[in-house]
Amino acid sequence: EAFDFARYCGHKAIGFTNLNNVQDFPEIQNISKDYPDLKVVYGAKVFYEENGQGAPLVTLLIKNQKGVKNLYKIISSEIEDGIPGVVDIKVIEKHRENLLLGASGDLSDLFWAIHNEESPDEIKKTALRYDYIELFPSNDIKTRLVYKNIVKLGKELNIPVVATGDCHYYGQ
């Protein structure tokens, strides 16, 4: 149904990201064969930990076939490190090649850096880690104000800012 909806809307591509896994990739690939006009973008959202501080969310999108292998290594590290659902940032940095790294809306470290009014230098440093920045739908006024600052920052630093549906399933 998601493929049909994307085609109906005239989209040229559709993206799928699992949370902390890639288990839907085979099914998505099989279905995509019936939609040669739609480019499929595969990825995953993962929580990561840096210096024991919190667990912000990052989106990892695959650029090419080598990126698939790198994403699998990142996802596999959750099990190897013994921390269910959380990846060490060093693993992401080590396997980042051939992946696009996205700040995941209001669950990202960038969102919280702006929300917590960290220094402009620290906010820029955080933003520059990312290839793009995602904004999720929100009716919360405080979140929207932070998003406004993120859009401004994205323009200033030439980092694409994208609005995503943050859909967890499609159904009627």
Side-chain angles (χ1 to χ4, degrees), residues 43-104:
K45 292 182 179 290
V46 296
F47 289 99
Y48 72 89
E49 189 171 62
E50 182 174 29
N51 303 324
Q53 295 178 344
L57 188 67
V58 66
T59 303
L60 303 164
L61 299 179
I62 296 168
K63 287 182 174 181
N64 53 39
Q65 195 60 37
K66 290 180 182 178
V68 174
K69 190 173 183 177
N70 288 349
L71 182 59
Y72 287 171
K73 287 178 182 178
I74 292 168
I75 296 295
S76 296
S77 76
E78 294 175 24
I79 297 164
E80 293 171 10
D81 292 343
I83 306 169
V86 179
V87 174
D88 188 315
I89 190 66
K90 292 174 190 159
V91 175
I92 294 172
E93 290 167 353
K94 179 179 178 182
H95 300 291
R96 182 179 173 168
E97 189 176 359
N98 299 302
L99 297 170
L100 293 174
L101 189 67
S104 296

Side-chain angles (χ1 to χ4, degrees), residues 17-29:
T17 57
N18 284 79
L19 180 60
N20 295 327
N21 69 69
V22 291
Q23 67 188 23
D24 291 333
F25 285 12
E27 182 180 358
I28 293 165
Q29 184 178 20

